[in-house]
Amino acid sequence: MWYNYFLTAIRNIRKNSIYTFINIFGLSIGLTTSILIFIFVLSELNFDKHHKNYNEIYRVYVKGKFEGSGFQDAHTNVPCGNAFTQEIPEVTAFTRIRTTSQRLLKYEEESLLEDKFVYADSGIFTLFDLSMISGDPKTALSEPQTVVLTKELSKKLFGLQDPLGKMISVNSDTNLFRVTGVINDLPHETHLDFNALASFHSQEDANSTFWLSNNLFTYLLTNPGANKSDIEKKMNEITMNAIEPQLMQIFGVTADELKASGDEYGYYLQALKDIHLTTDIPGGFKPAHERKYLLIFSIIGIFILIIASINFMNMSTARSANRAKEVGLRKVVGSTRSMLFRQFMWESMLLTLISLVFALIMVELALPLFNQLVGIELSVNYLKNWFTLPFLLAISIAVGFLSGTYPALVLASFKPIDVLKGELTKGVKGGWLRSTLVVVQFTISILIIIGTIVIFTQLNYMLSKDLGFEKDGKIVIDRVWPLGNRVQTYIEEIEKFPGVEMASNSTAYPGNSNNNNGYGIKGRDRSKTYLFNTNWTDYKYLEAYQMKLAMGRFFDRNFPGDSTACLINETAVKRYAIEDPLNAIILQPFDENQMEEIRIIGVIKDYHQESLRSPIEPVILLLKREWWTWGGYITVQLSDNNKSIKPAIKQIEEKWNEFLPEEPFLYEFFDDSYKRLYNEEIRTGRLSLIFSVLAIIIASLGLFGLTMYTTEKKTREIGIRKVMGASTHSIILMILRNISVLVVIATLIAWAASYKIMLNWLEGFPYRINLSIWIFVLASLFALLIALVTVSIQAFRAARANPVDSLHNE
């Protein structure tokens, strides 16, 4: 019996090759899209779950509120990890990890710049499953000036030599690091990101007891089943006891007075498995991703599968009249309804399995391009997870069942007497179900198109909005610290070049903040703390970024007292109710035990220091001391002449090599740096664009096949109309009329659904576009145009056919 089903299915596939191609191609695209989304979502959900104890590992983060300004951050202080482990029984181990800027590593004649160099305690091997190739994880980081390398970095530095015991210099320091271990390269699916692990005991502040400076990451390992809330409660009791003497020393207030003032400050736990998909706790090795996008893409994947399945249903039910005679004859010779149902379901499953094979081939071909477009490193390993192959088979069977059930029921229900009487036509050709399914297809397609347009419009708005500063024509030189106190000398030299308009040194720049500090305001309660995004700059910073002043002045060399002066932004004035800013004094914590008075000499008009995902926060600019070794960054404003940009950059690099012949010159165009802030939106936009194109292709394929079938069945009607004088134009309009009505209905449904969905998405942005009517009209016109072009191809062929041939064929 099954062999007979198989032969019948093959016969029908060969007999209806065009319709079979449309079904298989449409299903293949739908399955390919779904598999790619499945791989992507699975990868995102599996971050850090390869660690054996991932359910018991937590990252400590700080959360607080000062004067109504709430904040939370993944950075913590030096002593808290050890204190929590020693004093909380549920905590069994900890590690601290401190990231750094690029480090120049040298071994003999080999040197390279490594930007993933971190310091960590030996507890990192207890918490995380870092596969050790050589060395002892228990002792590898127990001593200062020791370092563990990844396999890739070890190969770059030492080639095929055994690296253990070899000494490398870091940033030309005379204190060499001894290689004590090599680990396998980190997998893609982890939020950790490093190539070199140096002992935390190498840091000067490794034994610091200061709790009010958060500049590293702390991870804790807890007992299985430990209560997270209980641990957090104990953590904050320890924290309050530890910071009280420091609060008294710096701010002159007790912990109780801090609480009584309405301010909050404490440490909390974030589960390791949640780090990658939690964006409201800033800080970390890699940018966190939005969990909501996984849901959006999963829904889109299901929608595209539905569109592909609808194609199958439409084509099968539309051609059911052609198989009525076959059904009638089979029933006459004894086939039951259940036997016929199994036969047609078998055909559906066979087509779906064939589509799955093509889909897997297409996945392999498309994955490199998909990775490039999305900026990730996905791979297909069907044996890595036990459920991958069963899932793919299950989704194939589910699609086959969804696509084939209704057509099979329709075909199996035909009565032989109705077939012989020719009374089947009306029911089959009524087409109300097919019309409904076409509406569903185009509703989904229009909805995805509208979403894509909204995402790209919002992204364009964020990239082109007036930010309160000028971002064009700039490069930012990174890793400036090797210049030491010669930063300003270097700036003076490069400003002599023809293509350089000016240059400025600062410890941060728009889109790249690195300090959010607490200050006081003179004359107010000492227990009050005011948070400012802090940037130390030179005298030219405001001019370099063309920021504007609301009042006062910027730093000036003619005013020696500016070393104890500052500027704040308009948001700080409003939020902290500073009525007379130019006569106000900011109190800055100094040397961990005293406050320094800083005069406000100017107020800057608000500008976006962070991305447009965040509202503007209070900002303070302080004058950077020229003798500081903390180099920060140099922003170079180039001239508008495109021809002079490359020569200018070349001269800037040559001058760098004169100052520092052994140090690499690193720079980036500011535009590129700023655009990276929106990688998540750029990636989402690209994915949405891909999916909307695929949705339209699949829907159009189905519409093409359905129209081809319809015109075939109307061959006689079209021939008679032409004989009676109907023009080609009128016949095309007749065929197009019905599809136009369906697309209009789909448009109205899609508008209502997409308006609510996209409005909800836009609420996540403090600065956003308005949902203009043109977005909805444009998406609908595009879908209608595609539908009309698809149908017109068949309509034009039918309308241009010779009516004599049409009537003769009938």
Side-chain angles (χ1 to χ4, degrees), residues 541-670:
Y541 183 78
L542 217 66
E543 185 182 353
Y545 282 96
Q546 297 181 32
M547 297 174 182
K548 294 182 170 49
L549 287 168
M551 63 176 72
R553 62 176 179 84
F554 196 59
F555 302 123
D556 193 326
R557 292 185 185 274
N558 296 320
F559 294 87
D562 281 1
S563 60
T564 56
C566 69
L567 290 92
I568 61 176
N569 64 347
E570 293 174 309
T571 292
V573 173
K574 296 171 187 174
R575 184 173 299 180
Y576 299 145
I578 304 174
E579 295 181 1
D580 187 9
L582 299 184
N583 289 313
I585 303 291
I586 300 293
L587 301 176
Q588 179 185 17
F590 182 69
D591 285 346
E592 299 184 6
N593 58 12
Q594 59 181 313
M595 304 290 280
E596 182 178 20
E597 293 188 356
I598 307 291
R599 297 177 299 108
I600 298 176
I601 61 171
V603 176
I604 312 166
K605 287 191 174 182
D606 278 339
Y607 68 94
H608 291 274
Q609 176 65 26
E610 303 290 346
S611 76
L612 292 181
R613 288 195 216 92
S614 307
I616 295 175
E617 298 292 338
V619 170
I620 186 170
L621 301 186
L622 301 167
L623 187 63
K624 183 175 180 285
R625 312 297 201 268
E626 292 187 9
W627 47 266
W628 280 7
T629 57
W630 183 16
Y633 307 90
I634 294 176
T635 301
V636 183
Q637 179 64 54
L638 303 173
S639 66
D640 294 334
N641 186 352
N642 290 334
K643 292 182 179 179
S644 66
I645 290 177
K646 286 186 178 180
I649 293 174
K650 184 178 180 181
Q651 288 179 305
I652 293 169
E653 182 175 6
E654 289 172 351
K655 183 58 66 176
W656 175 277
N657 292 332
E658 288 181 23
F659 274 69
L660 300 163
E662 295 187 358
E663 297 290 342
F665 174 71
L666 300 177
Y667 78 94
E668 183 176 28
F669 281 96
F670 179 81

Side-chain angles (χ1 to χ4, degrees), residues 8 323 326 330 339-347:
T8 304
R323 301 193 66 179
E326 174 194 343
R330 285 181 178 274
M339 291 171 64
L340 289 168
F341 178 81
R342 285 197 299 271
Q343 176 194 323
F344 296 126
M345 284 302 299
W346 169 251
E347 291 181 17

